[in-house]
Amino acid sequence: MQYYVYQLIDPRNSKPFYVGKGKGERMYAHEREAEGKSQHPKCKVIREIKELGYVIEYKILKRFEDEEQAYLYEAEVILDIGLENLTNLVHGGNINTNKRSNNCEHRAMVS
């Protein structure tokens, strides 16, 4: 399965601080991004963690063949954790609000 949804986890408190969708080595690209001058909140947290001598933890939550399903799952995970508890800037990538809402409503009915 080529796509996955992952978390970057802060080793200081074992909590995720970023959720993303990727393939290949995507989840490791954030550390390289943080080595630059990016002011993205995720990069600031990565720099803080590394400056204190810790190592970013990575967790693949689920794998997918279909990219759209991966995006939907990413949005669900972000919604479950709460955007306010993450450094993500949006509720999930490349899907419109209606799809996200419908998916969440469906999940609520199934739960």
Side-chain angles (χ1 to χ4, degrees), residues 2-108:
Q2 69 175 350
Y3 301 102
Y4 56 87
V5 173
Y6 63 93
Q7 293 177 334
L8 303 184
I9 299 172
D10 188 332
R12 300 171 294 179
N13 60 17
S14 299
K15 293 184 179 181
F17 64 92
Y18 184 82
V19 174
K21 189 270 323 168
K23 67 179 185 176
E25 300 292 314
R26 172 64 182 137
M27 71 179 166
Y28 303 111
H30 303 294
E31 282 195 65
R32 288 188 300 276
E33 179 187 356
E35 291 170 2
K37 295 181 181 181
S38 174
Q39 293 303 305
H40 189 289
K42 155 194 73 192
C43 292
K44 290 179 180 181
V45 171
I46 290 170
R47 285 192 288 267
E48 282 176 19
I49 291 168
K50 292 183 89 164
E51 285 169 7
L52 292 171
Y54 292 98
V55 176
I56 306 299
E57 296 175 16
Y58 299 91
K59 182 177 182 182
I60 293 178
L61 302 176
K62 195 168 181 179
R63 295 181 181 275
F64 300 87
E65 285 296 331
D66 180 69
E67 187 174 29
E68 181 67 15
Q69 290 302 310
Y71 278 128
L72 289 171
Y73 186 70
E74 175 195 31
E76 285 183 24
V77 172
I78 292 170
L79 183 66
D80 287 345
I81 295 171
L83 190 61
E84 67 279 3
N85 298 313
L86 296 166
T87 58
N88 292 67
L89 300 178
V90 296
H91 285 92
N94 278 1
I95 60 173
N96 67 43
T97 305
N98 291 335
K99 286 184 182 178
R100 189 177 310 120
S101 297
N102 291 340
N103 192 44
C104 294
E105 288 170 16
H106 173 72
R107 193 177 82 241

